[in-house]
Amino acid sequence: MDMKQFIQEMPKAELHLHIEGTVSPKRVLELADRNGVNIEFKSEKELLDAQDYGTPPLENFLKYHYMCSDVLRTGRDIFEITQDYLEKCVIENTRHVELSFDPQGHLERGIEFGELIDALNKARKDSPVSTQLVMCMNRDRTLESALEMLKLAEDYKDDIVGLGLDSVEEGNPPVKFQEYYDRGRELGFKLTAHCDCDQNNAVEHARQCIHDLGVHRIDHGVHVMDDPQLIEDVKERGITLTMCPTWRLGDPGPRRIPAIRKMLEMNVPACLNTDDPEEFASRYMSNMLSVVQEQGEFSAEEMTQFMRNAFVGSWIPDARRGAYLKELNAHLNTFKYKSDTS
Ligand SMILES: [Zn+2]
């Protein structure tokens, strides 16, 4: 068994995945046509070419991302893209996904909250992949809007396991959403928040997430590594960093490899995720992990440790976690055995 096959066949969990970032260019065009939405790109090639986000990268990426979300207009659309993504998970050998969705944009486009959750659930129910939902607020919107969404989510507590925060970080510090997080904790939701890379006040924002919001996970969170106290805090509290070493079209390869290596060496619980697989050149889990492994020269044990961190950081019952971890260890042992005897 070579390393590529080892990674392909590894039982996987993904904790940082936006369902809106899984719409393929082909699907974007189909849905734009079906829903009568006028988009600036007219072919799959034009859409793929536009994935070279250039400068400023985050702003250009978000523009592309929201254009792709804009074609989603009905529960049927949400069902179909979720079904597409879960079919990919089967191929990737991804066993468990904590799947983020951004309700605010969908509601604005006319999908009702219940219709949105029903569509996600319908696709989830039909799939062999285990999934849980994480509801993300766009941080450039208001606290009032977030509280409104939380009120709607209360009726779907069996479906939505956690609450998150994403989109434009600049000018929108985590503490803007203190009340949303406090209320979410009272209601029993698990908590996460994006701490994006290279943002102003990135270290302070990570501190706010850990100490003020009291998150259980951080999405990205590379700048935790800039502050020895925060490193200690995440280790002590068992806060998993859901890193996404994705790369854009035109990039030489995965970003953040030195930081990820450092996390591993310092026993910071970090796992590797695809974020928006149809919008980055890194695409889906096996491809992303294989290239990270190759360029970072990570061993099979080290790749297994990242995946162990994902299962440990997931919000599933301990018995299931134990079963996944056992399977993961067995996969590593098989690889080692085959390598020794070949
Ligand atoms: Zn994300």
Side-chain angles (χ1 to χ4, degrees), residues 16-18 166 194 196 219-220 244 275-276:
H16 185 159
L17 181 281
H18 302 271
D166 62 13
H194 277 55
D196 289 340
D219 292 320
H220 301 298
C244 302
D275 210 354
D276 300 283

Side-chain angles (χ1 to χ4, degrees), residues 11-20 22 85-86 89 92-102 129-136 161-166 190-195 216-221 238-246 268-277 284-285 288-289 304-317 320-321 324-325 328:
K12 302 178 184 70
E14 179 152 51
L15 306 185
H16 185 159
L17 181 281
H18 302 271
I19 195 61
E20 296 84 1
T22 67
Y85 169 67
L86 292 175
C89 288
E92 298 291 315
N93 217 10
T94 299
R95 301 299 173 78
H96 177 73
V97 184
E98 286 173 10
L99 189 156
S100 291
F101 68 102
D102 286 14
V129 180
S130 147
T131 50
Q132 298 190 130
L133 301 177
V134 178
M135 181 174 86
C136 279
V161 67
L163 306 176
L165 195 61
D166 62 13
K190 296 286 187 183
L191 306 174
T192 183
H194 277 55
C195 285
H216 304 104
R217 280 204 307 247
I218 291 179
D219 292 320
H220 301 298
I239 296 174
T240 304
L241 307 181
T242 69
M243 295 292 291
C244 302
T246 54
V268 171
C271 62
L272 308 178
N273 305 270
T274 63
D275 210 354
D276 300 283
Y284 291 88
M285 284 297 266
M288 181 275 290
L289 291 172
T304 304
Q305 185 57 42
F306 287 126
M307 201 51 74
R308 209 173 275 133
N309 293 342
F311 284 111
V312 170
S314 72
W315 295 324
I316 51 176
R320 272 185 46 217
R321 188 192 329 280
Y324 285 131
L325 290 173
L328 187 61

Side-chain angles (χ1 to χ4, degrees), residues 72-215:
L72 303 169
R73 297 297 172 102
T74 66
R76 179 185 164 195
D77 303 341
I78 301 292
F79 167 72
E80 286 175 359
I81 63 160
T82 309
Q83 200 177 38
D84 287 352
Y85 169 67
L86 292 175
E87 278 169 13
K88 289 272 190 206
C89 288
V90 173
I91 300 166
E92 298 291 315
N93 217 10
T94 299
R95 301 299 173 78
H96 177 73
V97 184
E98 286 173 10
L99 189 156
S100 291
F101 68 102
D102 286 14
Q104 290 155 311
H106 299 307
L107 265 66
E108 263 171 17
R109 288 184 291 274
I111 306 176
E112 285 184 9
F113 196 85
E115 186 187 5
L116 174 63
I117 306 295
D118 287 349
L120 290 163
N121 283 349
K122 189 165 182 273
R124 292 168 61 214
K125 193 166 59 60
D126 291 348
S127 169
V129 180
S130 147
T131 50
Q132 298 190 130
L133 301 177
V134 178
M135 181 174 86
C136 279
M137 291 301 106
N138 296 150
R139 62 205 302 158
D140 43 345
R141 298 178 191 255
T142 63
L143 169 67
E144 289 67 33
S145 167
L147 292 172
E148 228 170 88
M149 292 299 126
L150 186 55
K151 191 113 205 69
L152 294 169
E154 279 185 51
D155 291 338
Y156 297 91
K157 279 236 48 226
D158 290 343
D159 307 306
I160 302 169
V161 67
L163 306 176
L165 195 61
D166 62 13
S167 198
V168 184
E169 188 164 332
E170 179 76 47
N172 299 292
V175 287
K176 172 177 162 186
F177 293 92
Q178 185 74 54
E179 201 179 329
Y180 169 76
Y181 277 84
D182 288 347
R183 180 96 189 98
R185 182 182 304 98
E186 277 168 30
L187 290 167
F189 288 104
K190 296 286 187 183
L191 306 174
T192 183
H194 277 55
C195 285
D196 289 340
C197 308
D198 302 328
Q199 299 294 298
N200 285 333
N201 307 316
V203 176
E204 166 58 14
H205 287 184
R207 192 203 63 74
Q208 289 178 11
C209 284
I210 297 166
H211 289 282
D212 298 329
L213 305 187
V215 295

